Amino acid sequence: MTTPTTASRVLVLNSGSSSVKYQLLDARDDSRLAVGLVERIGEETSRLVHTPLTGGGEGKRERTAPIADHAAALKAVADELAADGLGLDSPELAAIGHRVVHGGMRFTAPTVITEEVLEEIERLVPVAPLHNPANITGIRTAQALRPDLPQVAVFDTAFHTTMPESAARYAIDTETADVHRVRRYGFHGTSHAYVSRRTAELLGKDPSEVNVIVLHLGNGASASAVRGGRCVDTSMGLTPLEGLVMGTRSGDVDPAVVFHLVRNAGMSVDEVDALLNKKSGLIGLCGDNDMREIRRRVDEGDERAQLAFDVYIHRLKKYIGAYYAVLGRVDAIAFTAGVGENAAPVREAAVAGLEELGLAVDASLNAVRGDEPRLVSPEYARVAVAVVPTDEELEIMHQTYALVTEGSAGNASGIASGNASGI
Ligand code: ADP
């Protein structure tokens, strides 16, 4: 497990139950050499989309053919990379960085994967049944392909492990909670860490001086309160179901909704699970989970779309208010991920009426689109409102590279985390 000093490339893998997303990045200049994904693994119609980004590449390549399992998927990815001269056997490859969804309380930082680390990730399967098994499969597959190469796990939960017990504990019987690991873990941590740090940079300050509310609004959505670079609260909990209204997830509901549906609607626990995770949120309220489509319908006067938008914004506003109170002083609110980066009406509505809290959005700044971090608040506003595009893969690369070259996942780049999602 040695890393030649010349090796500067990191393959970032995000393994889902039936998909693998990947990016090959170079730590010397943060460049991306190739990106792609394999989806519908195990089906007849598996699809691989590979885009080389180096000069010699021939553009995007797509093929649809059965890919039986993750091992076959990764082999296919390796072949595509090799065809571009970027093969996994290259001495320039320093490590493989894996996004791992649940690291529990133990993994507070990126970790070089050993058999013991894998066993602990396995032990967390009961609290992350959809995600951790796929992550483990991805890791084992990559290990088989390059057993000599360091493999690093970067956990979605790690950034939130700094939450105080007052925020991390549910107010339920302590013994039951401890035996079954029931507590608030939070997710999207790589994104919250990255975006809060980039927001401090945008303000020209050190992260330790800045309090930020990060609103990660993708298909999955979560908010976090970050004080001086450390997370003090976040909206997702034991699972990604808690908190904000999401594309297909309800976010916060009275837990008694579950008992009610099981006892009185004849639904099984699995059916309620599917209802709250897959048929709720925006899609449950109006039949669409894409904010573009919802806004189009709102503009046409569609009442269900308007209701979905209003419920979404109401919840968002409640979390802004709650985290304002948790932090006491807020320097910035940062919007990120698909909705946060692109949907100006969401940003405008989320802070509307909060002028007393020092919050406002400048309509013309808010209308500007772009890929760079930017402010959308007027100059007079006490609290900066920022749009900060997230980049989970870049952050996983940085953390992985720092760990294998310096033995620390410290802020090699001055930034800490981004969004590879699926949560
Ligand atoms: P995830 O990674 O959680 O799947 P993303 O962060 O990619 O999600 O966000 C996807 C969502 O972003 C889409 O479902 C859509 O609602 C929203 N989105 C993307 N582009 C736009 C846009 N131009 N305007 C409004 N919403 C958008």
Side-chain angles (χ1 to χ4, degrees):
M1 295 257 284
T2 50
T3 303
T5 46
T6 52
S8 59
R9 292 178 187 162
V10 174
L11 179 68
V12 175
L13 287 181
N14 180 5
S15 305
S17 56
S18 66
S19 70
V20 177
K21 293 184 196 144
Y22 62 94
Q23 293 197 4
L24 183 66
L25 297 106
D26 196 318
R28 276 176 306 196
D29 55 4
D30 290 354
S31 61
R32 261 165 259 256
L33 305 171
V35 303
L37 84 150
V38 186
E39 57 188 0
R40 299 195 289 271
I41 295 170
E43 295 179 31
E44 286 300 303
T45 57
S46 315
R47 190 168 78 115
L48 186 149
V49 183
H50 175 83
T51 308
L53 301 170
T54 49
E58 289 167 19
K60 185 158 135 179
R61 301 197 289 273
E62 269 191 64
R63 60 188 171 91
T64 306
I67 294 178
D69 51 26
H70 281 73
L74 210 53
K75 177 75 175 56
V77 171
D79 289 346
E80 293 293 339
L81 289 167
D84 298 320
L86 301 169
L88 297 190
D89 52 355
S90 163
E92 291 190 66
L93 189 62
I96 299 180
H98 297 266
R99 181 210 188 192
V100 178
V101 167
H102 215 309
M105 289 170 71
R106 152 125 184 241
F107 296 114
T108 59
T111 304
V112 173
I113 298 167
T114 61
E115 204 43 46
E116 200 249 327
V117 167
L118 265 174
E119 281 166 19
E120 182 61 22
I121 298 172
E122 181 101 51
R123 270 196 285 278
L124 290 161
V125 165
V127 285
L130 296 180
H131 297 102
N132 275 26
N135 299 154
I136 293 166
T137 305
I139 292 167
R140 290 215 183 273
T141 307
Q143 281 178 329
L145 220 55
R146 277 297 305 269
D148 57 318
L149 202 65
Q151 315 256 343
V152 172
V154 178
F155 298 93
D156 251 29
T157 46
F159 183 61
H160 304 304
T161 54
T162 52
M163 278 197 289
E165 284 294 284
S166 53
R169 283 263 173 201
Y170 291 109
I172 64 170
D173 172 63
T174 312
E175 197 187 323
T176 309
D178 290 348
V179 168
H180 297 285
R181 303 187 193 216
V182 177
R183 60 188 278 120
R184 308 189 58 255
Y185 295 97
F187 299 89
H188 291 146
T190 313
S191 179
H192 286 284
Y194 175 85
V195 169
S196 57
R197 193 173 296 263
R198 291 300 302 253
T199 304
E201 281 174 14
L202 184 65
L203 300 182
K205 297 205 167 141
D206 191 84
S208 64
E209 303 167 336
V210 177
N211 292 351
V212 189
I213 297 173
V214 178
L215 303 171
H216 176 111
L217 312 177
N219 198 27
S222 62
S224 67
V226 183
R227 176 181 289 132
R230 291 163 68 84
C231 178
V232 292
D233 203 353
T234 194
S235 60
M236 285 177 166
L238 174 76
T239 77
L241 184 56
E242 191 179 340
L244 299 175
V245 175
M246 313 185 204
T248 66
R249 295 193 195 108
S250 61
D252 296 336
V253 290
D254 181 344
V257 167
V258 180
F259 323 142
H260 174 71
L261 292 176
V262 169
R263 289 183 188 133
N264 301 316
M267 293 175 76
S268 68
V269 169
D270 284 347
E271 283 168 340
V272 180
D273 186 332
L275 174 84
L276 296 179
N277 274 295
K278 298 191 177 139
K279 292 187 245 167
S280 296
L282 293 171
I283 210 162
L285 286 163
C286 76
D288 271 311
N289 63 334
D290 191 313
M291 190 53 80
R292 283 164 289 203
E293 185 57 17
I294 290 169
R295 285 306 309 173
R296 196 191 58 72
R297 286 172 56 188
V298 166
D299 290 341
E300 284 177 353
D302 183 315
E303 286 180 12
R304 281 181 67 206
Q306 183 69 58
L307 175 67
F309 186 77
D310 292 347
V311 174
Y312 185 92
I313 296 297
H314 180 75
R315 185 81 51 83
L316 199 51
K317 232 176 205 174
K318 281 191 1 185
Y319 270 92
I320 292 172
Y323 288 172
Y324 209 118
V326 165
L327 291 169
R329 187 201 83 223
V330 177
D331 299 294
I333 295 194
F335 286 89
T336 194
V339 176
E341 291 167 29
N342 296 299
V346 168
R347 297 192 294 261
E348 186 190 328
V351 302
L354 302 184
E355 293 80 6
E356 289 287 322
L357 297 180
L359 279 161
V361 156
D362 177 285
S364 52
L365 290 177
N366 195 34
V368 176
R369 302 181 68 90
D371 298 334
E372 292 300 315
R374 59 195 184 276
L375 293 177
V376 296
S377 43
E379 253 177 51
Y380 65 80
R382 218 162 7 97
V383 179
V385 179
V387 179
V388 180
T390 192
D391 193 338
E392 235 171 330
E393 288 81 7
L394 180 69
E395 185 49 31
I396 291 173
M397 180 276 279
H398 278 301
Q399 295 197 6
T400 299
Y401 190 69
L403 190 59
V404 299
T405 53
E406 297 158 22
S408 116
N411 305 315
S413 62
I415 47 179
S417 282
N419 164 42
S421 233
I423 292 272

